[in-house]
């Protein structure tokens, strides 16, 4: 567990270094990473083997190379076209291959949940490059209950919507989800100028909302608050995350 935490911290440090490099190259950057910010991670680097606190910046770790299964080919076509308005399907190619897991084996009297991510509404949907969702199940304290899953990149963009149309199999029986748990959906996209993937917004599904059929839930501003203590809506406009839930139960 600690090795995983160390790897994640190193990935975030790498992101900060990339952001600092980008700031030095672009004096007009709106998201510049100042020298004072860089000094904040100096002690983390010095104590990387024992560091176990929350990272001081809301950044995503630089993704490590995915280990390919036999017969798979790695798509290295990383198009760094910064024309954010281009909506060609080629822009949805390579940076998030997806880590979706199969449905758990059924058991008599036990309920399984499939959440279909239909689409997300964003005012700048057409400008998001390689968008995908990270799906996690957290307890009331924000601790992971299941393996984190990532969708493939979105299938298409249309007006103010990014369409996913993908099923996510929740990796725990509904009856075994603890009180206060929630399913989180973090919307992420690639920033070519910074060369890292960023969380744009998030949504969550609470236990009393687990019901078969369509569901629309609100979007919140980052950073993701897994404890749901300080929530701030992303927008006042009627733009939401659209889901469809299916419950599976063997009698």
């Amino acid at each position: 567990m600690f090795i995983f935490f160390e790897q994640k911290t190193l990935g975030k440090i790498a992101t900060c270094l990339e952001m600092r490099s980008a700031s030095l190259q672009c004096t007009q950057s709106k998201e510049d990473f100042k020298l004072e910010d860089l000094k904040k991670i100096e002690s983390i680097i010095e104590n990387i083997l024992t560091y176990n606190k929350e990272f001081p910046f809301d950044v995503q770790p630089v993704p490590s190379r995915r280990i390919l299964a036999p017969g798979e080919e790695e798509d290295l076509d990383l198009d760094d076209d910064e024309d954010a308005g281009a909506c060609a399907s080629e822009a949805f190619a390579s940076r998030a291959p997806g880590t979706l897991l199969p449905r758990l084996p059924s058991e008599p009297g036990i309920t399984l949940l499939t959440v279909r991510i239909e689409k997300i509404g964003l005012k700048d949907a057409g400008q998001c490059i390689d968008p995908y969702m990270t799906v996690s199940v957290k307890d009331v304290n924000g601790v992971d209950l299941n393996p984190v899953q990532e969708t493939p990149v979105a299938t298409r963009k249309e007006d103010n919507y990014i369409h996913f149309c993908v099923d996510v199999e929740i990796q725990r029986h509904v009856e075994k989800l603890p009180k206060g748990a929630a399913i989180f959906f973090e919307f992420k996209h690639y920033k070519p100028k910074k060369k890292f993937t960023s969380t744009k917004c998030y949504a969550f599904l609470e236990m009393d909302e687990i019901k078969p059929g369509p569901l629309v839930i609100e979007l919140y501003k980052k950073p993701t608050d897994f404890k749901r203590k300080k929530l701030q809506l992303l927008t006042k406009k009627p733009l939401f995350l659209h889901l469809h839930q299916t419950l599976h139960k063997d009698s």
Side-chain angles (χ1 to χ4, degrees), residues 109-135:
I110 294 295
T111 308
L112 295 172
L113 172 62
T114 301
V115 179
R116 184 171 183 82
I117 303 175
E118 298 281 3
K119 61 184 179 180
I120 186 172
L122 298 167
K123 62 180 181 180
D124 57 349
Q127 298 178 17
C128 295
I129 299 175
D130 287 0
Y132 67 98
M133 286 278 187
T134 295
V135 182

Side-chain angles (χ1 to χ4, degrees), residues 1-16 44-45 47-53 55 59-65 67:
M1 178 66 73
F2 186 78
I3 293 176
F4 171 78
F5 187 86
E6 180 183 337
Q7 291 175 334
K8 191 172 183 179
T9 301
L10 286 170
K12 290 185 176 184
I13 290 173
T15 296
C16 290
I44 300 176
I45 297 174
N47 301 282
I48 189 62
L49 295 178
T50 57
Y51 185 82
N52 60 359
K53 299 179 181 178
F55 200 76
V59 296
Q60 296 299 317
V62 172
S64 58
R65 181 179 292 274
I67 298 175

Side-chain angles (χ1 to χ4, degrees), residues 50-118:
T50 57
Y51 185 82
N52 60 359
K53 299 179 181 178
E54 185 176 353
F55 200 76
F57 300 102
D58 177 35
V59 296
Q60 296 299 317
V62 172
S64 58
R65 181 179 292 274
R66 188 167 66 100
I67 298 175
L68 301 177
E72 282 189 302
E73 296 182 0
E74 185 172 15
D75 187 353
L76 298 178
D77 183 20
L78 299 181
D79 182 9
D80 199 25
D81 184 0
E82 295 182 6
D83 182 7
C87 296
S89 61
E90 288 79 8
F92 296 86
S94 58
R95 273 178 278 268
T99 57
L100 294 179
L101 298 170
R103 188 180 307 167
L104 294 174
S106 60
E107 297 180 21
I110 294 295
T111 308
L112 295 172
L113 172 62
T114 301
V115 179
R116 184 171 183 82
I117 303 175
E118 298 281 3

Side-chain angles (χ1 to χ4, degrees), residues 63-239:
S64 58
R65 181 179 292 274
R66 188 167 66 100
I67 298 175
L68 301 177
E72 282 189 302
E73 296 182 0
E74 185 172 15
D75 187 353
L76 298 178
D77 183 20
L78 299 181
D79 182 9
D80 199 25
D81 184 0
E82 295 182 6
D83 182 7
C87 296
S89 61
E90 288 79 8
F92 296 86
S94 58
R95 273 178 278 268
T99 57
L100 294 179
L101 298 170
R103 188 180 307 167
L104 294 174
S106 60
E107 297 180 21
I110 294 295
T111 308
L112 295 172
L113 172 62
T114 301
V115 179
R116 184 171 183 82
I117 303 175
E118 298 281 3
K119 61 184 179 180
I120 186 172
L122 298 167
K123 62 180 181 180
D124 57 349
Q127 298 178 17
C128 295
I129 299 175
D130 287 0
Y132 67 98
M133 286 278 187
T134 295
V135 182
S136 58
V137 182
K138 311 280 187 180
D139 68 11
V140 69
N141 295 313
V143 177
D144 280 312
L145 297 172
N146 293 341
V148 176
Q149 303 185 66
E150 291 182 348
T151 72
V153 291
T155 55
R156 64 187 175 94
K157 302 173 187 176
E158 185 178 22
D159 298 327
N160 288 332
Y161 290 96
I162 297 175
H163 296 258
F164 287 91
C165 302
V166 63
D167 290 337
V168 180
E169 305 293 346
I170 302 304
Q171 299 295 299
R172 181 172 289 224
H173 300 133
V174 174
E175 290 83 358
K176 295 182 180 179
L177 288 170
K179 183 179 179 181
I183 303 170
F184 281 82
F185 305 86
E186 295 176 273
F187 177 82
K188 300 180 179 182
H189 64 121
Y190 183 72
K191 292 187 173 182
K193 290 184 179 180
K194 304 298 183 182
K195 296 184 179 179
F196 72 93
T197 298
S198 172
T199 299
K200 182 176 181 64
C201 61
Y202 70 100
F204 56 85
L205 174 65
E206 296 186 312
M207 295 301 95
D208 60 353
E209 296 175 298
I210 296 180
K211 301 173 184 177
L215 179 67
V216 174
I217 55 178
E218 294 177 318
L219 300 171
Y220 297 94
K221 291 183 178 180
K222 65 177 183 180
T224 308
D225 181 10
F226 293 119
K227 295 183 180 180
R228 290 162 277 161
K229 300 290 187 181
K230 300 177 181 179
L231 302 175
Q232 187 175 1
L233 289 175
L234 179 67
T235 177
K236 294 181 180 180
K237 296 183 178 181
L239 298 171

